[in-house]
Amino acid sequence: MKSKFSHVLMLLGAVLAFVPIIAVDYLLDAYVQYREKAEAQRYVESISSHINSSAMDGVAALRQVIAASPSLCTATFVTNAQEAIEGGLNLKQFLVENLDGVQYCDAYGRVVDYSPLSQPLPVPGLTETMAVVKLGEMDMPALKLSQTFGETRRVSTFVPLLGQSESALNDTLPDAAMMRVTLTNGLSIVTLGDPTGFDRRQSSADYISAQGYAGQFPIKVEYALPFAMARSGYADLDVAFTFIACLASAVFLILNLSYVRRSRVPAFDLERAIERNEIKPYYQPVINLRTGELVGCEVLCRWEKRNGQVIPPGAFIDYAEVTGLAIPMTVSLMQQVRNDLGDLSRTLPNMKISINLFEGHFRDVGIVEDVQAIFGQSPISFRQLVFEITERRPLTNSMTTTSVISGLHALGARLAMDDAGTGHSNLAYLATLGVDVIKIDRIFVDMIKPGTTQVPVLDGLIAMAKDLDCEIVAEGVETEEQALYLRSRGVLHAQGYIFAPALKVGAFKELALALNSASNPQPRLEVVASAAA
Ligand code: MN
């Protein structure tokens, strides 16, 4: 379960690692939107504030000229008007006319050539009115700002809407962009570029747009740029963003992998666990069914993590075997067994110690050297050692297999066939391997139910083992019936829960001493050994 969870995590992490790359487009879009929107707003602001300030300049000049002139169309008035035009940047003309548009006088003594493009409009907050007009030959419309004088007359000044000509303004616009000045009643005054796309847009995301007003004047300024055009200006940044995103993805992937590596998934830190001796030997007693004495033990293992968690071998043994970690793991276990059971072996020199080997051990003669190096100078003698090999995965009958077995035999150790009866072995196979002990698998022992008088398969297995002159150990003995049945069939040694589970070294030693020191153990064990032989 745990490792499945970690695989899901790893997969999720790998998918997440590509999010930056996928997100590049999205991020860049958002960035372009943000940058260009601000740019558009600035542009609109500059146009609308220009209109506002020139219109306000016109209003101020108009008021000043009227205030400084006791009556209209006098020499003083004309002088004041001319001075105002020369002193202002944007003023073009002053004009006095009646309410029907009949001209009385102007700053230069000629007819003012203009035509209205809009009705005069009130300006909120001002007494002046505003109209859009075409003035003379100017291609850019002008604003006519007017103040009524008395009952019948009107004084006006003219200011161009924008300081530049239409073509000069057009040059400042990006390709495909649109800029439009309209009255707030909808009348269009100036349009640069083509506004039809913008007016028919499907979604506001298609355009980058901004709008603003010329102060209190009823004039609206709009600007719009198709998003795709704006985005195309960021091609270089696209490359840079993608590059950064790839880097981010790579970093994320590496972090993810190292997280998984460091996480407490058994598969990933078994190697370190072995180095730290976290794989601990546990000892399951093997009992003499006739005397009740302890004749030996099988070394099993548990992974004792530093956090106190204890993992049974089922969770990591297969992984250990597949990865080859079974070999250093067995070395570590044997070293710990030597340290654990050295003292006990001085007291019980005939105690057998059974160690499980893997198929991989029989493909490399190194195991013989390891056994020799570890137990050579220890109180545990080679003849106490039994090496178990499972029948579930048959050994190849190769030169190396044979030399490992004969090497172990030469030291004085013995070989046991583990899980006997469950594999595909036959008499010939067992005979060629040179097996000394047969460990009958628990499934055959389980066949002994209360009241059973005969278990043909088990009986056959026992008979076969005797024929081969092998010692027999029954595994998984859990009930008294089973123990009695086995004893009645001449099986002398057994292990299982009825006697003890796999024990930590302390508990195992106590049990071993309790079972064997009551009377003088030596002669009795000798009896057991000869009976088994
Ligand atoms: Mn075993």
Side-chain angles (χ1 to χ4, degrees), residues 353-367:
I353 300 168
S354 228
I355 294 164
N356 289 285
L357 295 184
F358 300 90
E359 194 260 333
H361 282 115
F362 291 88
R363 278 184 270 141
D364 182 353
V365 288
I367 180 64

Side-chain angles (χ1 to χ4, degrees), residues 317-361:
I317 284 291
D318 284 347
Y319 178 79
E321 191 164 5
V322 167
T323 54
L325 287 172
I327 294 185
M329 190 178 82
T330 303
V331 168
S332 161
L333 282 170
M334 290 196 297
Q335 286 166 343
Q336 294 181 77
V337 166
R338 177 197 58 201
N339 299 340
D340 284 352
L341 299 186
D343 290 351
L344 191 63
S345 288
R346 286 203 181 90
T347 318
L348 305 173
N350 292 313
M351 178 183 66
K352 299 289 182 283
I353 300 168
S354 228
I355 294 164
N356 289 285
L357 295 184
F358 300 90
E359 194 260 333
H361 282 115

Side-chain angles (χ1 to χ4, degrees), residues 162 281 296 314 403 411:
L162 293 164
S403 58
L411 290 178

Side-chain angles (χ1 to χ4, degrees), residues 109-164:
R110 57 183 183 238
V111 171
V112 178
D113 171 25
Y114 80 96
S115 53
L117 299 174
S118 80
Q119 296 291 314
L121 297 168
V123 180
L126 298 180
T127 51
E128 288 77 7
T129 60
M130 178 206 92
V132 181
V133 300
K134 176 162 170 53
L135 181 65
E137 299 303 311
M138 283 173 58
D139 66 344
M140 187 62 71
L143 293 180
K144 181 189 176 204
L145 300 155
S146 307
Q147 176 85 267
T148 51
F149 193 90
E151 296 288 300
T152 57
R153 283 176 295 179
R154 185 164 61 206
V155 187
S156 304
T157 187
F158 294 82
V159 294
L161 187 68
L162 293 164
Q164 313 166 62

Side-chain angles (χ1 to χ4, degrees), residues 283-301:
Y283 303 94
Q284 182 163 44
V286 177
I287 302 294
N288 184 313
L289 289 174
R290 207 158 272 169
T291 65
E293 283 176 341
L294 180 138
V295 291
C297 61
E298 177 176 356
V299 178
L300 299 169
C301 64

Side-chain angles (χ1 to χ4, degrees), residues 298 300 356 388 418 439 475:
E298 177 176 356
L300 299 169
N356 289 285
E388 299 186 8
D418 206 358
K439 299 194 74 172
E475 288 186 311

